[in-house]
């Protein structure tokens, strides 16, 4: 299925969880704030949040240092 | 009316700022009108705000605050003075955001960090050798009060979490996220966006190393939420955190906080 992530169309597998999608994008889910279809997803819901065809996903990634 | 060194005097057409010196501040040699230094010949307009300063002299307590704020554009001080800002993490970013906001006279700062000053902090953080071992909250408070004694400083000495941030910072107008840990950075943003919707927020990501200064940007994520950094430069072996680049990012954060307080964004 196709989803839109940070404005770009991405091909991914049907029913993938937000957690696995973030991992498979090469990111650590703990360091990412995720918005799906306009809603900020709670950290404890990353595993159960299933992406759908044409889901609009925004990932805000953080790197360490301050 | 003319405001001069916290006094109000009647306006006369044609009056010059130098005319005020003998009565208000004999010997004053630094004359500031509406936040900008001018010559004694500068002609005043009704409503001008003047500060007359004698270089090298420590002013009286009554005059001090207005003189500390003499370089501000009139109107700015009133807005920042009534504002409260939370600073989460008092390291390279937070200690510098705090000093910038204290110097411009933000009314109240809520300073949060659980850690103590370490020797390895001093390459970029606003502490001194004789403060090694002190709690960062106590050390920074001491330093900020030497810059501006008119800021109210409150401190939080516990570890911040996604759960406790909304309660601890519910009364501030804006929040600076200055954490080191990227997991906490993400948690802070989530906490603010979901539970502090009216609070301005300026986070940070990607400030390490000595990469291009101009790669550090302030970008808007949501209406009152901003993120500073290059988004890429993680602190890592071979890419340390250093005063110049962390300082640029910290001052991006401080300026964005100021813009939020002045409602320019």
């Amino acid at each position: 299925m196709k989803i839109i992530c940070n404005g770009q169309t991405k091909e991914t597998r049907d029913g993938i969880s937000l957690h696995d999608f973030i991992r498979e994008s090469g990111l650590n889910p703990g360091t990412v704030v995720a918005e799906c279809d306009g809603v900020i997803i709670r950290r404890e819901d990353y595993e159960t949040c299933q992406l759908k065809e044409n889901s609009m996903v925004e990932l805000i990634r953080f790197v360490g240092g301050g | 009316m003319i405001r001069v060194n916290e006094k109000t005097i009647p306006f006369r057409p044609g009056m010059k700022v130098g005319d005020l010196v003998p009565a208000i501040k004999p010997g004053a040699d630094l004359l500031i009108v509406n936040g900008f230094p001018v010559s004694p010949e500068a002609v005043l307009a009704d409503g001008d705000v003047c500060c007359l300063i004698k270089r090298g002299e420590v002013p009286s307590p009554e005059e001090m605050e207005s003189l500390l704020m003499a370089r501000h554009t009139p109107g700015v001080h009133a807005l920042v003075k009534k504002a409260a800002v939370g600073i989460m993490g008092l390291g390279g970013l937070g200690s510098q955001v705090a000093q910038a906001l204290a110097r411009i006279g933000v009314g109240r700062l809520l300073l949060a960090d659980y850690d103590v000053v370490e020797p390895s902090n001093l390459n970029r953080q606003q502490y001194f050798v004789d403060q090694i071992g002190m709690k960062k909250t106590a050390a920074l408070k001491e330093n900020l009060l030497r810059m501006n004694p008119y800021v109210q400083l409150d401190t939080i000495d516990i570890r911040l979490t996604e759960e406790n941030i909304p309660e601890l910072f519910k009364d501030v107008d804006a929040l600076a996220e200055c954490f080191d840990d990227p997991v906490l950075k993400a948690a802070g943003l989530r906490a603010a966006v979901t539970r502090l919707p009216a609070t301005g927020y300026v986070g940070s990501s990607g400030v390490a190393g000595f990469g291009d200064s101009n790669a550090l940007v302030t970008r808007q994520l949501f209406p009152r939420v901003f993120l500073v950094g290059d988004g890429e430069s993680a602190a890592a072996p071979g890419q340390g955190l250093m005063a110049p680049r962390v300082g640029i990012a910290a001052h991006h954060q401080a300026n964005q906080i100021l813009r939020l307080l002045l409602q320019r964004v």
Side-chain angles (χ1 to χ4, degrees):
Chain A
M1 66 174 186
K2 286 187 171 56
I3 64 150
I4 319 291
C5 179
N6 292 358
Q8 294 193 323
T9 304
K10 294 261 168 86
E11 185 66 41
T12 188
R13 53 193 159 78
D14 284 1
I16 191 171
S17 71
L18 175 62
H19 177 272
D20 289 350
F21 179 74
I22 294 171
R23 275 226 170 281
E24 290 173 21
S25 302
L27 302 174
N28 170 0
T31 65
V32 170
V33 172
E35 187 186 51
C36 288
D37 299 316
V39 178
I40 299 283
I41 307 300
R42 295 189 306 173
R43 177 65 189 91
E44 59 267 36
D45 295 338
Y46 282 18
E47 282 79 4
T48 53
C49 172
Q50 280 197 334
L51 303 185
K52 298 187 288 287
E53 182 80 29
N54 295 321
S55 282
M56 300 278 283
V57 180
E58 292 291 327
L59 300 181
I60 303 161
R61 168 207 178 206
F62 287 88
V63 299
Chain B
M1 295 301 222
I2 300 286
R3 295 278 292 164
V4 52
N5 291 23
E6 287 307 277
K7 298 181 185 74
T8 303
I9 62 167
F11 170 72
R12 282 183 291 102
M15 73 198 294
K16 296 174 181 169
V17 64
D19 300 341
L20 306 177
V21 170
I24 304 287
K25 188 78 193 171
D29 52 359
L30 179 57
L31 313 178
I32 296 174
V33 176
N34 300 336
F36 201 76
V38 297
S39 86
E41 298 306 308
V43 176
L44 295 172
D46 199 8
D48 279 349
V49 179
C50 310
C51 281
L52 313 181
I53 295 171
K54 193 171 172 184
R55 282 189 173 85
E57 181 186 274
V58 178
S60 69
E62 299 77 55
E63 283 185 339
M64 179 70 93
E65 188 167 16
S66 71
L67 298 182
L68 286 175
M69 299 304 141
R71 296 300 299 270
H72 280 207
T73 306
V76 168
H77 183 228
L79 284 170
V80 300
K81 180 74 184 171
K82 66 180 186 188
V85 176
I87 302 176
M88 305 194 293
L90 304 178
L93 292 171
S95 63
Q96 301 211 68
V97 170
Q99 68 92 18
L101 297 180
R103 285 190 188 281
I104 62 169
V106 168
R108 176 173 174 249
L109 297 177
L110 183 52
L111 308 169
D113 201 297
Y114 67 89
D115 214 348
V116 298
V117 178
E118 304 278 3
S120 63
N121 299 150
L122 298 182
N123 78 327
R124 66 191 187 284
Q125 304 185 16
Q126 297 296 312
Y127 302 103
F128 298 95
V129 169
D130 59 15
Q131 293 178 317
I132 289 169
M134 275 179 85
K135 283 200 164 203
K136 286 186 176 177
T137 46
L140 189 59
K141 187 171 175 174
E142 183 176 279
N143 297 344
L144 297 177
L145 288 173
R146 292 182 65 197
M147 299 171 195
N148 183 351
Y150 302 97
V151 185
Q152 184 190 333
L153 299 171
D154 296 315
T155 57
I156 296 172
D157 288 325
I158 60 171
R159 277 181 194 266
L160 299 179
T161 66
E162 190 161 345
E163 291 68 38
N164 68 19
I165 286 169
E167 177 61 25
L168 290 168
F169 294 98
K170 65 180 189 298
D171 297 326
V172 302
D173 301 294
L175 198 46
E177 175 273 292
C178 301
F179 295 131
D180 187 54
D181 175 3
V183 173
L184 213 44
K185 288 175 179 290
L189 177 63
R190 238 178 348 252
V193 172
T194 57
R195 293 176 59 197
L196 295 169
T199 308
Y201 188 90
V202 185
S204 56
S205 179
V207 303
F210 47 85
D212 185 0
S213 305
N214 294 329
L216 297 169
V217 295
T218 301
R219 74 185 170 101
Q220 188 165 24
L221 301 177
F222 302 104
R224 289 175 61 76
V225 176
F226 296 82
L227 187 61
V228 166
D230 66 17
E232 300 285 338
S233 302
Q239 183 161 262
L241 291 160
M242 287 180 284
R245 205 158 191 263
V246 174
I248 294 168
H251 288 86
H252 264 263
Q253 287 189 284
N255 191 47
Q256 193 58 51
I257 296 270
L258 176 59
R259 289 169 58 76
L260 283 160
L261 299 181
L262 299 178
Q263 299 183 343
R264 298 300 158 89
V265 287

